[in-house]
Amino acid sequence: MPDTTTASALPTAPVAGRSGLVIALAHALHKRAIYPVSHPLLGAAVQRFVSRAIEGLDRDGPIAIGVAHSQLVIDGVAVDGEQRVLSELASHLHAHQLAGLRLLPGATATELEDLVAILATPADRVDKPLGQLSDDELHRWRHVALLRARFERLGLAEDDSPTAGDEGEHPIWLALALSALDQDELPPDADVSTGAMAARMEAQVQSGDATQARRAANALVQLTEGLAQAAKRNALAPAMQQRASDLVQALAPETLRRLLTIIGEDTRARLMTQATDVFNARALIDILAAGAAAGGKLVSDSMIRLFGKLARNSEDRGRHGGRTDAVLRTQVRRQLADWMLDDPNPDRYSELLRDLGQGEAPAIVDGDGEISTIEPERLLEISLEIGALSPSTESAVTLLVERDGLAALLDRLVGYPWSDTREAIIDSLVNGVVLREQLAVERPDMRVLIHAVARLKSRAVDPLLDMLQQRNPEECPWVVDLLVQVGPDALPFLDQRIDSLQPGMQRLLLFVYERLGGWPEKDLLRMLCRHEDASLRREAFRLGVRHASLRNELLVAGARDEDTRILALVIAKAGRACDRRLAAVLMERLEQDERVSDELRARAVRAIATCDGEETLRWLTRRPLTQQWLFRYTKLRKGTLEMYACIAALATRHAHAPSASLALLLARRNRDHGYRRAAAAEPVVG
């Protein structure tokens, strides 16, 4: 499909609707050519075109239809060349030697019907094509105009004089001027010199008027088309080629980009392909760069600079200039061919250095004739762009490592698009030896380590674990990030090595398991949860309780662990679904372990209360009550967070249980505000 991207200052017309009008014209011409005048199908087709034209012209304004061999350009925008109806219409009009036609608002049905009648007959069935008719015959209508193609003497004129008029101008240049001026005849005083035409096209693009901008774009298309037709017949005059190239070089890069954006993707691709045959080397490079920007295609600054040097070398009239010019055009064609592929193959460019290296011609020559000295980064970019490795590439890599460091070079390389050449260079710089060398130094370069691990993947795990056996865990917390970078493939290596490491390193590896969403083997995890190192046990419990098949087992074991921080972890994980076994262990722990803080006891009571059952109710009822030592009556214990939690649990979950009534009654009558507030807690619904 055509590229509809345009600069914001150049809004596009409703081309899709205009295409419908042109399709209606094509259908009418087809019916007029095969049916007699009185046939109903012909009348319906003509009437459909007439109605659509009158309505569209009144609504959208005039329409200009340009003819470019087998493709139409509607209001300066090329239509899809794959649409057979429009392609056939373009070929039909081209055979009549017409450059286009223009319809103006106010066109009558009679004018439009006459237009269908005169255009319908194929060019090979008339005495002479319509483009060879007189001006009076072509301009017989007030609101309809046929524009003749002015290519009768393609490539025959050698005079490059800027003098205006049909006698002094090359037909191709005259057609360019007429298209840019949007006139049928050139005014006698019109300035059509190269500078004037470039200035006019610049002004049209920068005017903000979409019609003016399309007119300039259409002029560039017609110029290239005319040059290409002449080149096919080996009739392209060198003077005309140079003049057209000067025009392209006179246009600002942004103007050229906008022109190539306006004409659409298909027309742009055809124009750039034709440009490789008809423009000189420097103009060709300008078109390549502008086309890349217009189409969002990849062509590096390094390749453009290389092409630019080849272009300067091609201007040498000596024995090497012609050959360098041929190499340049071949490589540009290959670049364009790669843009047309869904999966460009960088190996396509590998022939560039070989082509340049054959024969006696120097590959890159500056204006003074000396071989240029290329910066190492520039040489590296060129090697990557053309997909070729050479001793010069290796030297450039060595210089960059010495100058900027290995990490900086790796950063630079990964910033380039993927290619086999890039991968080969990185592989030569990063391997297991480099990784072990970095791990052996006191302060390794983390950027190099990151690149090495990204490159080696699972092969980096053993060197990292070997390093852990030789270092203090406080010195290398960064190893966790590196192992996580390897991904799940690192976990089998960790299973094999974790039990041989010291507790601090084992704890780091548990962080790796956690971040990768994995677990050690069950037996290994149970062993770590019983380890004498409390910090290691905590991390093992934290990880293990996420394992569905080990969760309940580890929660019970954690509730018995002497480390109260593990107990806090167990209580938090128990949440609102404490089973009877865990509840029993927690009850026992609260009754026997005085080291548990009051706040943690209250949290444990709330966890126990979520376990429904008579045993839980009896414990909650008994826990806050005691006997007065002298008179032996029942009373509440001294108020603590744990006791308040017991009363709150009875009030919310067992408010109507007979066995809980005494404790709740005592709490409501107690002078301790904490007890009264706990007893007033609202029952849990459901």
Side-chain angles (χ1 to χ4, degrees):
M1 293 295 293
D3 183 2
T4 57
T5 304
T6 61
S8 58
L10 300 172
T12 57
V15 177
R18 294 299 182 95
S19 296
L21 188 156
V22 179
I23 290 174
L25 171 60
H27 287 160
L29 295 179
H30 178 68
K31 296 294 190 295
R32 183 68 172 79
I34 63 175
Y35 291 120
V37 177
S38 60
H39 198 284
L41 291 180
L42 171 61
V46 173
Q47 186 57 42
R48 187 160 48 248
F49 162 66
V50 170
S51 300
R52 189 156 191 170
I54 292 175
E55 178 183 352
L57 293 171
D58 290 342
R59 182 185 65 246
D60 301 325
I63 178 174
I65 304 172
V67 180
H69 190 52
S70 61
Q71 189 172 28
L72 297 178
V73 180
I74 301 176
D75 286 341
V77 179
V79 299
D80 189 355
E82 298 299 322
Q83 295 190 38
R84 182 177 177 182
V85 172
L86 298 181
S87 179
E88 290 179 350
L89 176 59
S91 299
H92 177 82
L93 297 176
H94 187 269
H96 270 292
Q97 298 183 16
L98 292 176
L101 58 96
R102 184 163 53 243
L103 306 180
L104 304 177
T108 65
T110 300
E111 290 177 322
L112 296 171
E113 290 170 357
D114 286 349
L115 175 66
V116 171
I118 194 173
L119 289 178
T121 306
D124 58 1
R125 297 183 186 177
V126 295
D127 294 336
K128 56 183 177 180
L130 296 177
Q132 296 183 15
L133 297 179
S134 65
D135 290 343
D136 291 338
E137 291 176 292
L138 290 180
H139 301 161
R140 67 182 70 180
W141 308 286
R142 181 179 179 185
H143 301 94
V144 177
L146 297 178
L147 307 177
R148 65 166 57 91
R150 298 176 176 270
F151 300 139
E152 298 88 347
R153 302 178 316 218
L154 284 178
L156 298 179
E158 293 291 341
D159 181 25
D160 195 31
S161 169
T163 307
D166 289 348
E167 296 300 320
E169 289 300 333
H170 192 289
I172 296 178
W173 194 262
L174 183 60
L176 167 73
L178 291 172
S179 179
L181 294 170
D182 194 32
Q183 296 182 4
D184 299 329
E185 299 293 342
L186 199 64
D189 58 347
D191 184 358
V192 293
S193 64
T194 302
M197 293 305 301
R200 178 177 296 278
M201 295 174 73
E202 292 269 7
Q204 288 174 322
V205 171
Q206 297 174 9
S207 67
D209 186 334
T211 301
Q212 292 290 329
R214 290 191 203 99
R215 186 172 297 154
N218 191 38
L220 180 62
V221 171
Q222 291 194 17
L223 171 64
T224 309
E225 185 82 23
L227 294 172
Q229 292 177 16
K232 286 180 181 179
R233 299 195 303 273
N234 295 320
L236 179 57
M240 185 62 237
Q241 180 185 35
Q242 184 61 47
R243 189 174 187 184
S245 299
D246 291 343
L247 173 68
V248 170
Q249 292 181 260
L251 295 173
E254 177 61 16
T255 299
L256 191 55
R257 182 196 69 79
R258 293 172 73 178
L259 290 173
L260 294 180
T261 300
I262 292 170
I263 62 178
E265 182 177 353
D266 291 342
T267 304
R268 179 169 60 247
R270 187 175 68 253
L271 182 148
M272 295 178 70
T273 300
Q274 294 171 338
T276 61
D277 294 319
V278 301
F279 291 107
N280 68 23
R282 295 203 185 199
L284 176 58
I285 301 308
D286 290 344
I287 291 177
L288 175 66
K297 301 298 184 180
L298 177 63
V299 54
S300 72
D301 291 340
S302 299
M303 183 61 88
I304 290 295
R305 280 191 289 270
L306 175 60
F307 283 162
K309 290 192 175 185
L310 292 176
R312 291 193 295 274
N313 197 28
S314 70
E315 296 171 356
D316 179 11
R317 295 302 180 185
R319 54 178 176 172
H320 302 311
R323 184 180 171 281
T324 306
D325 184 79
V327 170
L328 170 63
R329 295 181 187 276
T330 298
Q331 296 309 316
V332 172
R333 292 188 191 100
R334 288 173 177 169
Q335 181 88 51
L336 296 176
D338 246 11
W339 289 353
M340 299 174 188
L341 297 176
D342 292 333
D343 183 18
N345 177 11
D347 290 339
R348 181 182 294 274
Y349 303 123
S350 62
E351 300 177 19
L352 177 56
L353 288 182
R354 185 190 67 197
D355 290 346
L356 290 172
Q358 291 175 347
E360 301 178 4
I364 302 174
V365 179
D366 284 328
D368 57 4
E370 297 296 329
I371 298 178
S372 64
T373 301
I374 305 178
E375 302 88 343
E377 58 268 31
R378 200 69 57 231
L379 181 57
L380 175 63
E381 291 174 3
I382 293 172
S383 297
L384 292 172
E385 186 73 21
I386 64 178
L389 290 176
S390 67
S392 297
T393 308
E394 296 175 3
S395 299
V397 168
T398 302
L399 288 173
L400 288 172
V401 171
E402 294 174 352
R403 189 190 72 186
D404 303 332
L406 178 57
L409 176 57
L410 291 172
D411 289 341
R412 179 189 296 274
L413 285 168
V414 298
Y416 294 123
W418 187 96
S419 69
D420 290 336
T421 306
R422 187 197 75 165
E423 296 300 290
I425 295 175
I426 296 178
D427 284 338
S428 70
L429 295 171
V430 179
N431 49 48
V433 175
V434 173
L435 175 61
R436 290 184 181 277
E437 289 176 351
Q438 284 292 324
L439 293 175
V441 301
E442 183 178 356
R443 293 185 178 181
D445 189 325
M446 287 306 302
R447 290 160 60 197
V448 173
L449 288 180
I450 291 172
H451 284 296
V453 172
R455 208 75 198 155
L456 298 174
K457 296 294 184 183
S458 61
R459 291 177 292 156
V461 178
D462 277 335
L464 290 171
L465 296 180
D466 291 342
M467 181 271 300
L468 283 177
Q469 290 182 313
Q470 303 170 9
R471 285 179 179 259
N472 189 308
E474 285 76 18
E475 296 177 357
C476 48
W478 40 263
V479 76
V480 174
D481 293 328
L482 294 177
L483 289 170
V484 170
Q485 183 181 343
V486 175
D489 290 343
L491 297 181
F493 294 89
L494 270 57
D495 287 340
Q496 296 174 8
R497 302 280 299 273
I498 188 172
D499 59 345
S500 65
L501 299 174
Q502 57 177 304
M505 296 304 181
Q506 291 175 322
R507 184 166 172 264
L508 290 179
L509 295 191
L510 290 179
F511 292 147
V512 178
Y513 279 106
E514 180 179 4
R515 289 176 58 180
L516 291 177
W519 298 272
E521 295 178 351
K522 289 184 180 180
D523 291 340
L524 177 58
L525 194 53
R526 291 189 182 100
M527 180 193 73
L528 295 176
C529 289
R530 297 191 299 268
H531 200 280
E532 61 182 10
D533 186 280
S535 62
L536 177 58
R537 289 203 311 277
R538 283 197 301 273
E539 295 307 324
F541 272 112
R542 191 189 309 277
L543 180 63
V545 294
R546 298 181 181 183
H547 200 303
S549 63
L550 291 176
R551 176 184 171 85
N552 292 336
E553 174 188 340
L554 294 182
L555 286 177
V556 171
R560 293 192 174 104
D561 196 289
E562 62 181 11
D563 188 344
T564 56
R565 284 176 289 186
I566 294 179
L567 175 62
L569 174 64
V570 170
I571 294 171
K573 295 298 182 181
R576 300 180 181 179
C578 183
D579 63 18
R580 294 185 179 183
R581 185 183 176 195
L582 178 58
V585 174
L586 289 175
M587 294 175 198
E588 181 182 358
R589 179 72 179 269
L590 295 184
E591 291 175 352
Q592 298 179 0
D593 192 350
E594 297 296 333
R595 297 173 302 170
V596 181
S597 68
D598 193 28
E599 187 273 335
L600 190 55
R601 287 174 175 275
R603 290 168 54 192
V605 169
R606 287 192 286 271
I608 293 170
T610 62
C611 178
D612 294 329
E614 288 298 323
E615 182 62 29
T616 302
L617 175 58
R618 283 195 297 270
W619 188 85
L620 290 173
T621 302
R622 186 181 71 251
R623 184 64 179 161
L625 297 178
T626 187
Q627 295 266 324
Q628 201 277 340
W629 68 275
L630 179 60
F631 298 104
R632 310 303 295 173
Y633 62 84
T634 302
K635 68 172 186 176
L636 294 173
R637 296 178 186 273
K638 181 181 178 181
T640 64
L641 293 178
E642 178 188 0
M643 298 303 115
Y644 300 154
C646 289
I647 295 299
L650 292 174
T652 55
R653 296 178 179 273
H654 306 283
H656 302 294
S659 58
S661 59
L662 177 59
L664 291 174
L665 178 62
L666 293 174
R668 293 188 187 105
R669 294 179 176 178
N670 199 284
R671 289 179 297 179
D672 189 328
H673 178 68
Y675 270 127
R676 296 199 306 273
R677 184 172 56 188
E682 294 292 334
V684 175
V685 178

